[in-house]
Every structure is written in C-alpha cells, then in structure tokens.
C-alpha cells in the first residue's frame, strides 16, 4: 500500500474547518507562492531542518557525516546543501534535536490511528480531519486512500487545496471529502505566474467545474500585502466569483511567523512584509460592496 510523505500532524486545530480538528500536512507543492509560511511543505522529498538555538556544540554531527556536509560554527551547524545526500544519519546522532527531519512517511493506517485519538473530540465539537500542505493532491493516490478510510469511520474530512491539479483528480476527491477549502490567490494570470510560479488558468477552470458539480466548497483568499490587496484585484475577484455563482469568500490574514523556517532550511525568505490587520477590514468592505459576503475563518 502506498505511503504518504507528511511533515506535520497537528492535533486540536481550530482554524482548518468546523469544530476541533486534526490537520495533516502533506509534503510537496507544485506552486511556489512567495509568501509561503510553510516552506518545509514545498519540496517533495525529506529535508534536513536546523534549530540552531538548541545546539550544544558537541560536534557529533560533523564527525559523523560521511559527506562532510556539516561545518560547526559558533551559531551551530552549517549544512552544505549541495554535499548533503539527505541520509538523515545526523538527525539520529544529534542529542538535542537541533537537526530534525522535515517530512516522514506514513501509512494510511498510521494517519488514521493518529486521527482516532481524538474521535471523541470530533464528535463533541463537530470536528474531523483536514488534509493540508503543501498541496494534498500532489499525493493523489495516498490522499484518496486516506479519505476513503476516514469516511468508513464516519470522520468528517476537509482538504485545503490550491486547485492546481488535473480535473480528473480533484473531481474524484470532491466526491469523497465533505468540504474543500479552495485558495484563489490572484485573478490576473501574469501576476499569478510572477508571485506563485504558476498560471491560474487551471485553478480557475477547476473551480468553475467544482461549482457546477455542486461540490461543497469554501473559496478562500490569503490577503497578501502589495500582492493581491489592491482595489483592482479585489473588485476583479468579486466580479469573477459572482459570474461563476460564488456568493461568499473567506479572507485569511497574512502572517510572517514562518520566516524563521527559511533559515532552518538554508533558504532565502523571498517575502517578509509586516502583517497588517487593517487589510482584512478594507478588503471586506470592497468585497461586500461588490456583492460577495465574507465568511469567518475556520
Ligand atoms: S543528512 Fe546525511 S549527508 Fe546530510 S548533513 Fe546529515 S549526515 Fe551529512
Ligand atoms: S550533534 Fe546536534 S548538538 Fe551536537 S553539534 Fe551537531 S547539531 Fe549541535
């Protein structure tokens, strides 16, 4: 049976769907949104993550690494990512958890067992399991098996998707999952290519087909300063949603809590604006003036 690569299983989530939920983060994403706050969710393979503040400078990782990919500095281990072959032996050897593996393989049954720990909480709160990422549909076969297994147990499921996948795949998933959170980031294709690394044509096409199919969708828009918060983009988004029969949208505030993760992966953080809570209020006013109502998060 196929295994899935997952970088986090988070219990007691309050913002990823109705009730109290377990959120399962699938690793790997076809987009590269500049503001991504889960950079460990982008790469489709396991990665070595550094928490240098935990390092006690014992030197074990450096002496153990066969590829000589680690140099020990005053601020902790420095990893030569070109030399590192991701064997993860240094993770096992490190006594303090400074070096960590981002991404781990799970069987469907292992994820189901993790979810079952909170079955009573789901029942009491109206919660369930949300599959997030990364992009869950990138691991389609595993996603399908997992959703079917959860459905058999009558556990409510939701997925959070960019919609950047084939219609056949998202159509099949929409028949099984109870709820789809669908990200609509940019309405202009050129801007989409610049800021997310991908065209939005497929994304919008899939959204329109899902609406026609009657799938249970919540359209969401992460509001990103200086990217999609302009009046022009919001008015165009509202006009587009009206034209395809969507009446409401959920706005997600931008935050930069994940910027420290880029350092842990030795990646350059491409985007680091200060969060501005006013943006949500301003955008809500424009959406509502254009006939699109705002739903609250989660
Ligand atoms: S993952 Fe393997 S190759 Fe990479 S730094 Fe650690 S021990 Fe060296
Ligand atoms: S093994 Fe861990 S604690 Fe020791 S030097 Fe390497 S990163 Fe630091």
């Amino acid at each position: 049976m196929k295994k899935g690569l997952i970088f986090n299983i988070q219990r007691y989530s309050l913002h990823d769907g109705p009730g109290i939920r377990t959120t399962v983060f699938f690793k790997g994403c076809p987009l590269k949104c500049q503001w991504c706050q889960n950079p460990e969710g982008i790469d489709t393979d396991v990665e070595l993550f550094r928490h240098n503040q935990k390092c006690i400078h014992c030197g074990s990782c450096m002496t153990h690494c066969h590829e000589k990919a680690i140099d020990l500095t005053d601020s902790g281990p420095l990893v030569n990512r070109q030399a590192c072959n991701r064997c993860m032996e240094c993770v096992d050897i490190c006594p303090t958890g400074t070096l960590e593996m981002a991404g781990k393989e799970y069987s469907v049954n292992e994820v189901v067992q993790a979810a079952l720990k909170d079955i009573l909480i789901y029942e009491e709160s109206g919660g369930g399991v949300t599959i997030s990422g990364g992009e869950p549909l990138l691991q389609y076969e595993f996603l399908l098996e997992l959703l079917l297994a959860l459905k058999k147990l009558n556990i409510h499921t939701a997925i959070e998707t960019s919609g950047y996948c084939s219609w056949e795949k998202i159509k099949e998933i929409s028949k099984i999952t109870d709820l789809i959170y669908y990200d609509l980031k940019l309405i202009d294709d050129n801007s989409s290519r610049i800021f997310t690394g991908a065209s939005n044509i497929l994304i919008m096409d899939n959204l329109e087909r899902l609406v026609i199919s009657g799938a249970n969708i919540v359209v969401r828009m992460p509001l990103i300063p200086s990217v999609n918060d302009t009046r022009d983009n919001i008015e165009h988004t509202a006009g587009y949603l009206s034209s395809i029969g969507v009446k409401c949208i959920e706005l997600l505030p931008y935050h930069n809590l994940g910027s420290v993760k880029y350092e842990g992966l030795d990646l350059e953080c491409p985007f680091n604006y200060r969060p501005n809570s006013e943006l949500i209020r301003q955008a809500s006013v424009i959406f509502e003036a254009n006939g699109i109502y705002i739903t609250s998060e989660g």
Side-chain angles (χ1 to χ4, degrees):
M1 217 178 249
K2 196 162 173 52
K3 290 201 167 193
L5 190 62
I6 288 166
F7 68 91
N8 193 12
I9 297 181
Q10 186 178 291
R11 297 169 74 185
Y12 316 124
S13 299
L14 297 174
H15 300 290
D16 294 318
I20 300 173
R21 310 187 70 80
T22 298
T23 307
V24 183
F25 293 85
F26 280 29
K27 194 158 161 43
C29 184
L31 304 187
K32 288 199 170 43
C33 302
Q34 289 189 12
W35 56 86
C36 180
Q37 296 302 307
N38 285 329
E40 75 276 41
I42 296 173
D43 197 297
T44 53
D45 202 351
V46 290
E47 289 173 280
L48 185 61
F49 194 96
R50 300 183 289 113
H51 302 272
N52 274 22
Q53 72 283 7
K54 294 184 183 175
C55 179
I56 55 169
H57 298 87
C58 68
S60 304
C61 55
M62 190 172 73
T63 48
H64 191 86
C65 176
H66 302 295
E67 306 301 320
K68 305 206 180 315
I70 297 185
D71 193 14
L72 197 54
T73 69
D74 287 349
S75 63
L78 250 192
V79 180
N80 178 339
R81 299 282 170 172
Q82 272 75 45
C84 172
N85 64 10
R86 305 189 191 197
C87 71
M88 300 297 156
E89 287 179 17
C90 55
V91 172
D92 297 332
I93 217 104
C94 175
T96 63
T98 302
L99 296 166
E100 192 190 12
M101 201 162 103
K104 188 179 158 212
E105 284 198 332
Y106 285 77
S107 67
V108 166
N109 188 45
E110 284 170 325
V111 181
V112 168
Q113 291 309 317
L116 281 173
K117 287 180 190 160
D118 294 325
I119 188 87
L120 293 177
I121 294 174
Y122 306 154
E123 282 168 11
E124 275 177 29
S125 68
V129 173
T130 298
I131 315 294
S132 186
E135 170 51 64
L137 278 133
L138 209 56
Q139 299 186 59
Y140 172 73
E141 286 83 8
F142 182 74
L143 176 63
L144 194 66
E145 276 181 39
L146 178 58
L147 289 173
L148 286 168
L150 293 168
K151 195 181 172 81
K152 245 188 208 167
L153 295 165
N154 281 325
I155 295 176
H156 180 278
T157 63
I159 67 160
E160 295 180 330
T161 180
S162 66
Y164 194 81
C165 60
S166 77
W167 166 241
E168 290 309 317
K169 287 180 178 173
I170 200 162
K171 182 179 75 176
E172 288 310 308
I173 294 300
S174 73
K175 292 178 192 165
I176 300 162
T177 192
D178 296 294
L179 179 59
I180 299 177
Y181 286 107
Y182 200 101
D183 269 15
L184 187 62
K185 292 158 180 137
L186 283 152
I187 208 79
D188 174 63
D189 190 43
N190 196 38
S191 302
S192 179
R193 289 171 193 266
I194 293 168
F195 288 107
T196 74
S199 163
N200 65 9
I201 291 173
L202 181 63
I203 294 168
M204 290 163 79
D205 191 46
N206 283 338
L207 175 59
E208 289 158 31
R209 289 179 181 220
L210 283 173
V211 172
I212 291 167
S213 77
N216 189 18
I217 317 163
V218 174
V219 176
R220 301 208 293 197
M221 181 174 168
L223 211 54
I224 313 299
S226 302
V227 173
N228 62 0
D229 61 335
T230 61
R231 174 174 286 276
D232 186 56
N233 182 60
I234 294 168
E235 284 180 349
H236 273 92
T237 304
Y240 168 70
L241 291 176
S242 285
S243 74
I244 63 168
V246 174
K247 300 269 178 283
C248 50
I249 192 166
E250 189 175 305
L251 297 177
L252 305 177
Y254 163 77
H255 65 79
N256 56 4
L257 301 174
S259 50
V260 70
K261 294 183 186 174
Y262 284 87
E263 205 182 312
L265 292 164
D266 293 306
L267 296 171
E268 200 180 322
C269 182
F271 193 90
N272 203 358
Y273 276 79
R274 284 161 67 109
N276 177 356
S277 54
E278 256 302 280
L279 287 187
I280 294 279
R281 195 193 61 75
Q282 289 163 358
S284 302
V285 170
I286 303 171
F287 269 116
E288 289 183 346
N290 285 273
I292 299 292
Y293 297 97
I294 306 300
T295 57
S296 58
E297 184 184 350

